[in-house]
């Protein structure tokens, strides 16, 4: 017999039996509204109220006290468990049930918290789709960035210095055929490079270094950095060479970089100067110094059809010179393949002019390629694949697309717009771009100029000695910080949420085969045409095939594991399993434990306050407490507590309108009255059965 | 009689639901249902009643809405993937090894002799800077029959808008009478101009000297002026020709040679072609699987149109597939192959090496797609990771278990191999080719009763083939009609290479291998032909992504239950209760209708009755005095149950009410017994 608070509130007033009273749902409504005025209503009014009472059997629990309310709640709630507490006999059993119920509540809370905490989890799904696939952009570079012959005017000084260094340190001089420049020239020219960054031979024990140029020994100041720190130095310390970088403003602050091998030292040293020189050459000139598309590409074949340099887009890479991107999507169209296999991919023969290589800058021969998306920037120096000459490299691709869920599921970025690092590359966001941009920004901020290998931020220019004599020291310091994650770039940059990946299977075959070498080279020389003065050599050629192994696209995506519907279902399952509870129960709990208990407490307080007030007002002992007692008795009286209190009133009055004061029928007691009311409903039925 | 009584009683009980009016029924339902909301509606005060009514309604609609979402989710057949990585004993993959060159040149020389002479002469003409140098030492006259079927032409692009097409041989044979063609499309687009081209035969007064291409060195502009193209006509001598031009002469020559040689070789019967290819004992010099020696006899021979004889290790066709239960090179397959590079066909394949592929047992090796090269003079080590994808079939994803539901006739089934998407695509292409061109392409298996294309029987086959091959529509049809397999296995390879044999060991290795193969004390092998292969499982040899249904029927039921329970505390029993109420209300409706009909009938009958209707007082008396009853109203025969004594006082309501209880009680007693 569950009932709302309103009904319960109405009980004290219902002696008047007015439906009007029941409307007072407010718990603060005065409970002491006297009944008599309502009872004094006219006969039809009484009739209506009587009918209302019958048809709307709104009976709230008699719960003037909190414990009563609890008891009522436990007996009438929809949740299981509570009832057992009240119904059980014996203290032990009751305690047991209290414990069980409480543990069930605890379990529910725990499980629901668990469900809530796991709400932001993702499930991974892998779909494979067989379809026409967009062909990726393929960027091809010669390993050597610029034609050595064309670079002579810029690099001759540096080369001379390098050769001299080689001779001084190792007593090595190049074979007679290659040394065209006279040796005695060396002494006459001013050696800028050595003055700026001297190459040093380090004697570890004495911590003295021999300057290559002047030959004088000097004490090493500052810190010594071993570039190849992982290699344990052996005893022959006189083999260690390196170079010293000093802060130009404060010459006492120097850092000495040493290398266990002279090869690394010379190359690193050369590279520093090379970048310094290249930074001063404008882009247009550099593009001219590098290879043209005609130089690099001998033949091109895509999807069974011939293609030429118009399908390639030039892209100037600071370290690799001119690179050419096939299918860059620049003119809006992206080529696609609808057949897998080596015949239907991209086949190019590259001309690698080995004789025109820079001997110090690059020491390997071949080309570098990278397969990437049209919107991606090709980080060819980081993730390029090297192609061998005199061989056919076949690269089978397998396409995988992945997508992660962004916040709140994982910490990735969709577009990179929320990363506080300006994207210096004109391409879509990637982690690499972010890191490089971040470093470049830090470089510009702290060194005042930009590093050569990365794009220029607005308003900055590349570092060179003339303007920024300090940049190398600054760069090395900064780079060290960057590697040690002290710049904060690694923390700022997030990985991209979606990325495309082409898994490559690379294999190499001999090409051209011994028997086809002859005609192949002849025909290719003819292809090369007038620009070639000599016959091609097979070590100048590289054959490259890039194709889809199959047209299966794997799409790995994360999906939210939970939706709100599923979460609610799980809640419902938990609530139902432990306590057979539902939202209705929750509302009940809120109603009983908050609204009703509050109202009871308030009422109690109100009564107390009133009593106190009355006591004070009358200041006479005796009378007022009596009235209070009467009222309390009214509440505590079991008869009054009986829910049928209003019906009792009506029952008392009922015989009057019936106007049949039959003496033989005894005055009905409650139980028979109940029975009768039950049958008033059944009576018409039985009568109705008759005609049927 | 007894039965009838019982039935009547049963009917009575059935009819007597929880109430006899809709309202009663509803109130009863709300009072007694296990669903949490409705009880509140009838138990609360009027204002709260309204609130509860709307709350219940809201919850019910929420439940139904979310049920809709859940059922929708279930019907979308989502899958969840689980990934497992590790090492387990697995079937060693089938390993197919082929030579990149399909036939021994020494064996096919007699067939290709004419072709080689032609291409050599053509190259001579193309590459010679000055025409005067043309050596007339080609003593036997060239067989131009072969040439004319599919000629190579030079396109002179000095004048961009009006390129001149020069036939390489005809210029020399018929002096001054060369063929020029104005092909409008060749200039701008590097792709072969498709469709009809009007080939005009113009009388040009170009002398013999100038028709031969002038030295390319003369040209100073950047643009290359001469291009080589393959002329393809729908049939010989017709005007319906296209020119497939190439930016590179090397590409053009290779393409042309492949076309011509396939035409020649397609006429050779299969067993002859197998004989001309590389034999297992010549090619596979040494074999070691784990610790067990194996030899060429462990390999299954298969004829592959691209690569001639291929040999498959562990194909699992006749015997059980071998298992490998250890990672590492020591427990894998070690092979030494000889590809004898000297015997390559010079113009057919320019890359030299072995072609190999790892694939599943009982599947056909599609080397052009998935194969890798192994370079001569090196040791190639291949670490294998088996990447499996196990998918659920229909309705979870659109894939096929064994290809039986794919509408393409699988031509590779003649090899007894399982379905694969590559097989389907190739079969689809070949079927189209047979349909349109009337003959099958040499590279794919033949359907029954069809021959391979060759120049004699099908002069326009090359034209037909290329137009079909470049047709996007045809490709799309094939892509749409083929389905991928549900279980996709890929072998991820980690390839590394080293020089082999080392210079120090070179001598003895060559000696032993030569002796074993040819029984000769001389070295018959060299660095250019010998290949060592190691194929083995990596430390983690499998990565399996398997799908399982994300939404099962159990999931659906528990979610539905969860929703219903969450909002209304309901269960299936509540639904049954609800159904019961609906049935009850239907009964009420039926009863009402019947009583209404009866009432109507009675009214009619009464209307027809000649007697005057009973007056009100009569009726009142009939009710009050049971002894006095109106005759026609005696339709209630049950009146006899009532005591007919007129002396009894009229019953008051109370006693009347009690009476049915007495009537009913024996019923319930009887029932309990």
């Amino acid at each position: 017999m569950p009932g709302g608070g309103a009904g319960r509130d109405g009980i004290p007033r219902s002696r008047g039996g007015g439906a009007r009273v029941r409307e007072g749902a407010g718990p603060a409504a005065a409970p002491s509204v006297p009944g008599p005025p309502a009872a004094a209503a006219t006969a039809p009014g009484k009739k209506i109220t009587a009918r209302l009472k019958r048809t709307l059997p709104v009976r709230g629990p008699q719960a003037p006290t909190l414990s009563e309310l609890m008891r009522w709640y436990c007996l009438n709630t929809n949740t299981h468990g509570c009832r057992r507490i009240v119904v059980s006999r014996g203290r032990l059993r009751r305690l047991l049930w209290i414990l069980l119920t409480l543990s069930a509540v605890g379990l529910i809370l725990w499980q629901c918290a668990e469900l809530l905490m796991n709400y932001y989890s993702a499930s991974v799904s892998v779909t494979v789709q067989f379809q026409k696939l967009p062909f990726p952009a393929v960027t091809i570079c010669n390993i050597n960035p610029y034609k050595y012959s064309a670079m002579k005017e810029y690099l001759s000084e540096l080369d001379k210095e390098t050769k001299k260094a080689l001779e001084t340190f190792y007593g090595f001089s190049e074979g007679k055929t290659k040394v065209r420049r006279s040796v005695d020239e060396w002494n006459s020219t001013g050696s800028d490079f050595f003055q700026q960054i001297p190459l040093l031979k380090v004697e570890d024990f004495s911590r003295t270094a021999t300057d290559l140029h002047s030959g004088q020994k000097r004490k090493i100041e500052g810190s010594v950095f071993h570039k190849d720190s992982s290699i344990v130095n052996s005893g022959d310390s006189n083999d260690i060479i390196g170079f010293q970088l000093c802060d130009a403003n404060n010459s006492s602050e120097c850092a000495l970089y040493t290398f266990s091998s002279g090869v690394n030292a010379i190359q690193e040293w050369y590279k520093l100067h090379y970048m310094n020189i290249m930074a001063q050459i404008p882009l247009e000139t550099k593009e001219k110094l590098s290879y043209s598309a005609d130089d690099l590409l001998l033949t091109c074949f895509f999807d069974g059809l011939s293609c030429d340099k118009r399908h390639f887009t030039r892209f100037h890479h600071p370290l690799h010179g001119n690179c050419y991107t096939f299918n860059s999507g620049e003119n809006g169209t992206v080529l696609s393949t609808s057949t897998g296999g080596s015949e239907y991919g991209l086949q190019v023969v590259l001309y690698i002019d080995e004789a025109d290589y820079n001997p110090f800058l690059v020491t390997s021969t071949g080309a570098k390629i990278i397969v990437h998306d049209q919107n991606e920037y090709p980080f060819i120096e980081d993730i390029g694949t090297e192609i061998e000459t005199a061989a056919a490299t076949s690269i089978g691709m397998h396409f995988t697309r992945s997508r992660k869920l962004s916040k709140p599921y994982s910490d990735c970025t969709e577009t990179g717009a929320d990363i506080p690092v300006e994207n210096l590359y004109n391409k879509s966001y990637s982690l690499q771009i972010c890191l490089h941009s971040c470093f470049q920004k830090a470089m510009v901020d702290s060194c005042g100029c930009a590093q050569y290998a990365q794009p220029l931020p607005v308003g900055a220019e590349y570092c060179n000695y003339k303007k920024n004599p300090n940049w190398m020291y600054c760069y090395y310091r900064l780079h060290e910080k960057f590697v040690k994650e002290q710049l904060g770039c690694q923390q700022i940059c997030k990985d991209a949420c979606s990325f495309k990946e082409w898994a490559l299977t690379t294999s190499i075959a001999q090409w051209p085969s011994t028997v086809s070498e002859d005609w192949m080279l002849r025909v290719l020389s003819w292809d090369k045409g007038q620009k070639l003065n000599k016959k091609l050599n097979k070590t100048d050629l590289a054959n490259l095939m890039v194709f889809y192994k199959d047209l299966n696209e794997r799409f790995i995506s994360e999906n939210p594991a939970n939706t709100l519907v599923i979460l609610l279902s799980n809640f419902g399952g938990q609530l139902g399993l432990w306590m057979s509870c539902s939202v209705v129960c929750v509302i009940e709990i809120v109603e009983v434990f908050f609204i009703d208990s509050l109202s009871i407490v308030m009422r109690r307080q109100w009564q107390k306050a009133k009593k106190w007030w009355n006591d004070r007002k009358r200041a006479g002992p005796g009378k007022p407490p009596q009235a209070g007692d009467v009222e309390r008795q009214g509440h505590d009286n079991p008869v009054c507590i009986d829910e049928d209190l209003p019906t009792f009133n009506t029952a008392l009055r009922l015989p009057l309108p019936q106007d049949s004061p039959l003496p033989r029928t005894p005055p009905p007691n409650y139980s028979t009255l109940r029975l009768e009311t039950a049958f008033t409903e059944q009576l018409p039925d039985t009568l109705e059965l008759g005609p049927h | 009689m007894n039965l009838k009584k019982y039935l009547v009683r049963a009917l009575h009980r059935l009819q007597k639901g929880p109430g006899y009016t809709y309202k009663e029924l509803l109130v009863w339902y709300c009072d007694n249902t296990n669903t949490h909301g409705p009880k509140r509606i009838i138990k609360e005060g009027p204002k709260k009643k309204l609130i509860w009514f709307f709350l219940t309604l809201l919850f019910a609609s929420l439940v139904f809405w979310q049920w809709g979402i859940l059922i929708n989710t279930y019907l979308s057949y989502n899958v969840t993937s689980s990934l497992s990585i590790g090492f387990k004993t697995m079937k060693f993959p089938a390993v197919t090894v082929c030579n990149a060159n399909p036939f021994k040149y020494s064996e096919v020389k007699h067939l290709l002799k004419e072709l080689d002479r032609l291409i050599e002469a053509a190259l001579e003409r193309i590459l010679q800077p000055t025409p005067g140098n043309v050596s007339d030492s080609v003593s036997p006259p060239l067989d131009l029959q072969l040439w004319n079927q599919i000629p190579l032409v030079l396109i002179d692009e000095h004048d961009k808008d009006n390129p001149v097409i020069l036939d390489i041989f005809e210029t020399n044979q018929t002096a001054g009478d060369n063929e020029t063609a104005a092909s409008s499309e060749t200039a701008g687009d590097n792709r072969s101009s498709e469709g009809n081209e009007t080939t005009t035969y113009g009388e040009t007064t170009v002398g013999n000297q100038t028709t031969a291409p002038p030295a390319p060195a003369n040209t100073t502009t950047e643009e290359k002026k001469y291009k080589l193209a393959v002329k393809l006509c729908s049939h010989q001598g017709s005007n319906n020709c296209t020119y497939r031009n190439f930016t590179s002469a090397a590409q053009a020559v290779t393409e042309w040679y492949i076309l011509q040689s396939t035409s020649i070789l397609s006429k050779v019967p299969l067993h002859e072609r197998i004989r001309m290819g590389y034999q297992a004992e010549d090619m596979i010099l040494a074999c070691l699987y784990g610790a067990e020696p194996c030899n060429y006899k462990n390999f299954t021979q298969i004829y592959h149109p691209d690569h001639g004889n291929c040999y498959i290790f562990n194909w699992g066709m006749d015997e059980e597939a071998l298992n490998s239960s250890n990672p590492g090179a020591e427990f894998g397959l070690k092979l030494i192959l000889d590809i004898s590079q000297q015997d390559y066909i010079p113009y057919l394949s320019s890359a030299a090496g072995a072609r190999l592929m790892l694939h599943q047992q009982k599947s056909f090796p599609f080397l052009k797609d998935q194969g890798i090269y192994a370079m001569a003079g090196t040791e190639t080590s291949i670490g294998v990771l088996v990447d499996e994808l196990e998918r659920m079939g229909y309705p979870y994803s659109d894939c096929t278990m064994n290809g039986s539901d794919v509408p393409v006739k699988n031509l590779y089934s003649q090899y007894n191999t399982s379905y694969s998407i590559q097989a389907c695509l190739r079969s689809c292409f070949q079927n189209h080719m047979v349909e349109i061109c009337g003959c099958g392409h040499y590279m794919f298996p033949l359907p029954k009763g069809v021959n391979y294309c060759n120049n004699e029987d099908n002069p326009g086959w090359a034209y037909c083939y290329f137009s079909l091959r470049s047709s996007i529509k045809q490709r799309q049809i094939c892509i749409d009609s083929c389905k991928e397999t549900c279980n996709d296995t890929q072998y991820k390879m980690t390839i590394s290479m080293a020089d082999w044999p080392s210079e120090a060991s070179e001598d003895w290795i060559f000696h032993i291998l030569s002796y074993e193969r040819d029984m000769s004390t001389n070295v018959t092998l060299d660095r250019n032909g010998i290949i060592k292969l190691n194929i083995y499982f990596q430390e983690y040899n499998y990565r399996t992504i398997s799908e399982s249904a994300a939404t099962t029927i159990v999931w659906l039921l528990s979610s539905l239950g969860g929703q219903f329970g969450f909002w209304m505390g309901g269960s299936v029993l509540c639904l049954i209760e609800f159904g019961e109420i609906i049935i009850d209300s239907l009964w009420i409706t039926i009863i009402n209708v019947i009583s209404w009909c009866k009432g109507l009938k009675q009214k009619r009958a009464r209307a027809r009755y000649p007697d005057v209707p009973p007056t009100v007082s009569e009726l009142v008396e009939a009710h009050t005095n049971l002894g006095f009853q109106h005759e026609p109203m005696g339709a209630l025969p049950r009146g006899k149950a009532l005591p007919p004594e007129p002396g009894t006082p009229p019953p008051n309501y109370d006693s009347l009410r009690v009476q049915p209880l007495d009537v009913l009680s024996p019923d319930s007693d009887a029932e309990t017994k």
Side-chain angles (χ1 to χ4, degrees), chain A residues 147 154 211 214 263 291 312 410 466 479 481 522 671:
Chain A
K147 291 175 187 167
Y154 302 102
D211 196 322
S214 56
V263 174
Y291 299 90
F312 288 84
S410 65
K466 294 206 176 87
H479 193 259
K481 267 193 192 168
R522 273 170 66 205
S671 53

Side-chain angles (χ1 to χ4, degrees), chain A residues 89-119:
Chain A
R89 278 182 232 159
R91 211 175 277 167
L92 184 71
R93 205 170 264 240
R94 188 167 291 188
L95 196 74
L96 205 70
W97 272 108
I98 288 174
L99 279 179
L100 281 176
T101 312
L102 283 180
S103 58
V105 171
L107 275 172
I108 286 174
L109 290 179
W110 174 47
Q111 301 274 346
C112 288
E114 200 96 311
L115 284 173
L116 266 180
M117 260 147 53
N118 290 330
Y119 182 69

Side-chain angles (χ1 to χ4, degrees), chain A residues 220-474:
Chain A
I220 300 163
E221 300 131 15
S223 48
V224 178
F225 294 93
H226 289 278
K227 265 288 188 184
D228 300 333
S229 55
S230 62
I231 299 162
V232 179
N233 287 330
S234 50
D236 43 357
S237 56
N238 50 347
D239 275 335
I240 294 175
I241 75 162
F243 47 84
Q244 196 173 26
L245 293 175
C246 288
D247 194 339
N249 308 323
N250 180 8
S251 56
S252 64
E253 249 184 61
C254 281
L256 182 78
Y257 292 89
T258 60
F259 299 83
S260 63
S261 162
V263 174
N264 292 339
I266 299 265
Q267 249 189 310
E268 195 81 359
W269 182 82
Y270 187 89
K271 220 171 169 177
L272 274 180
H273 288 295
Y274 171 80
M275 290 202 311
N276 194 29
I277 293 164
M278 292 311 293
Q280 299 168 44
I281 304 173
L283 183 68
E284 296 80 50
T285 325
K286 281 194 283 187
E287 280 182 357
K288 268 184 209 131
L289 290 172
S290 188
Y291 299 90
S292 71
D294 280 329
D295 288 336
L296 188 67
L297 305 159
L298 268 182
T299 76
C300 169
F301 209 61
F302 177 73
D303 203 9
L305 295 169
S306 202
C307 53
D308 62 12
K309 65 173 181 182
R310 276 168 292 182
H311 289 85
F312 288 84
T313 318
R314 183 164 65 194
F315 150 75
H316 189 85
H317 190 277
L319 294 181
H320 286 275
N322 282 352
C323 295
Y324 292 90
T325 307
F326 177 75
N327 191 25
S328 64
E330 205 169 55
N331 47 7
T333 52
V334 174
L335 297 169
S336 56
T337 351
S338 47
T339 318
S342 52
E343 294 159 274
Y344 295 92
L346 174 72
Q347 293 178 40
V348 281
V349 175
L350 305 173
Y351 176 63
I352 313 277
D353 195 2
E354 205 187 341
D356 222 2
Y357 264 44
N358 186 325
F360 302 112
L361 191 66
V362 285
T363 47
S364 51
T365 317
K368 256 191 161 178
I369 80 142
I370 180 169
V371 174
H372 59 103
D373 186 56
Q374 277 79 13
N375 292 324
E376 257 173 54
Y377 183 83
F379 282 99
I380 200 128
E381 75 273 26
D382 294 346
I383 39 177
T385 310
E386 269 144 11
I387 303 294
E388 210 179 317
T389 55
T393 308
S394 102
I395 296 177
M397 296 186 293
H398 193 80
F399 183 44
T400 310
R401 211 149 52 87
S402 324
R403 212 177 69 79
K404 275 205 284 188
L405 286 172
S406 60
K407 277 204 164 137
Y409 290 94
S410 65
D411 195 21
C412 66
T413 173
E414 294 278 1
T415 55
D418 50 336
I419 306 284
V421 176
E422 192 201 349
N423 187 347
L424 297 178
Y425 298 81
N426 196 17
K427 294 282 183 181
S428 66
Y429 178 86
S430 73
L431 182 64
Q432 284 275 36
I433 281 181
C434 179
L435 288 176
H436 282 278
S437 301
C438 178
F439 179 76
Q440 185 74 305
K441 204 178 130 214
M443 177 96 188
V444 172
D445 286 348
S446 58
C447 305
C449 59
Q451 208 247 332
Y452 176 67
Q454 284 137 22
L456 275 177
V458 184
E461 58 178 2
Y462 286 128
C463 295
N464 68 64
Y465 258 150
K466 294 206 176 87
K467 281 184 186 160
N468 320 85
N470 200 21
W471 80 269
M472 267 182 210
Y473 178 74
C474 182

Side-chain angles (χ1 to χ4, degrees), chain B residues 335-628:
Chain B
L335 286 176
I336 297 174
L337 306 175
D338 177 37
I339 58 164
S340 47
Q341 220 185 115
Q342 299 305 329
D343 223 1
Y344 267 41
I345 303 170
Y347 294 97
L348 199 57
S349 53
S350 53
R355 203 86 204 257
L356 77 148
M357 179 180 162
L358 309 182
H359 54 105
Q360 266 188 300
Q361 272 76 28
K362 295 182 183 172
S363 70
F364 190 84
F366 292 98
L367 288 144
K368 281 260 162 159
D369 292 19
Q370 317 246 313
I372 58 162
Y373 278 110
M375 197 159 137
T378 60
E379 172 173 359
T380 305
S381 292
I382 301 167
V384 181
L385 170 84
V386 185
D387 189 13
E388 275 176 308
L389 182 65
E390 289 166 6
R391 284 192 289 165
M392 315 257 297
Y394 184 83
Y396 293 97
S397 52
D398 190 23
C399 61
T400 175
M401 283 292 175
N402 53 12
S404 53
D405 51 340
V406 173
V408 176
K409 191 174 170 285
N410 188 2
L411 300 175
Y412 286 86
S413 54
Q414 58 183 272
Y415 290 100
N416 233 347
T417 52
S418 56
Y419 173 87
S420 68
I421 184 102
Q422 279 90 2
C424 178
L425 286 175
R426 279 167 175 73
S427 303
C428 177
F429 182 85
Q430 183 76 312
N431 290 335
H432 280 246
M433 176 105 185
V434 168
E435 217 170 274
I436 293 164
C437 309
C439 58
H441 192 264
Y442 171 71
M443 290 298 168
F444 313 116
L446 275 181
K448 270 203 181 94
V450 184
N451 289 324
Y452 281 128
C453 296
N454 63 62
N455 285 345
E456 271 82 47
D457 301 336
N458 319 84
W461 77 272
Y463 173 80
C464 181
Y465 167 67
F466 277 109
S467 61
L468 194 64
R469 197 172 100 154
S470 51
S471 146
I472 307 285
K473 200 179 127 225
Q474 187 273 331
R475 288 188 191 180
Q476 200 55 49
I477 289 171
C478 285
I479 286 179
D480 291 342
S481 52
C482 287
K483 283 184 196 169
E484 63 264 50
T485 48
C486 288
N487 290 338
D488 181 30
T489 304
Q490 285 177 1
Y491 293 92
K492 300 255 176 217
M493 294 175 278
T494 311
I495 304 167
S496 57
M497 284 163 61
D499 261 6
W500 186 85
S502 65
E503 282 190 17
S505 63
E506 201 176 288
D507 277 345
W508 69 266
I509 286 175
F510 285 148
H511 258 107
I512 291 179
L513 290 176
S514 306
Y515 176 77
E516 277 177 357
R517 188 177 70 169
D518 304 326
M519 292 295 170
S520 75
T521 46
N522 299 329
V523 173
T524 53
L525 301 161
D526 64 352
R527 283 198 85 84
N528 283 330
I530 204 147
I531 290 169
K532 190 168 185 213
L533 286 175
N534 295 324
I535 300 162
Y536 53 88
F537 277 139
Q538 289 175 8
E539 193 176 345
Y540 290 103
N541 72 343
Y542 73 92
R543 189 178 77 178
T544 306
I545 298 171
S546 52
E547 284 185 348
S548 54
T551 52
T552 55
I553 196 82
V554 176
W555 173 88
L556 181 70
L557 286 180
S558 74
S559 296
L560 293 182
Q563 282 295 335
F564 198 15
F566 183 70
W567 294 111
M568 301 185 78
S571 66
V572 174
L573 289 175
C574 296
L575 288 182
I576 294 172
E577 274 174 15
F578 195 72
E580 195 192 359
I581 288 304
I582 287 175
I583 291 170
D584 281 339
S585 65
L586 275 178
W587 265 117
I588 289 172
T589 317
I590 289 168
I591 288 166
N592 282 355
V593 166
I594 287 172
S595 62
W596 182 74
C597 283
K598 266 190 179 163
L600 209 69
K601 224 185 245 169
Q602 271 178 356
K603 234 182 224 171
R604 271 192 206 143
R606 219 175 292 158
R608 259 188 286 145
Y609 239 49
D611 272 345
V612 279
T615 58
V616 178
S617 59
E618 267 177 342
L619 284 174
V620 168
E621 212 163 356
H623 277 289
T624 47
N625 190 355
L626 289 169
F628 183 76

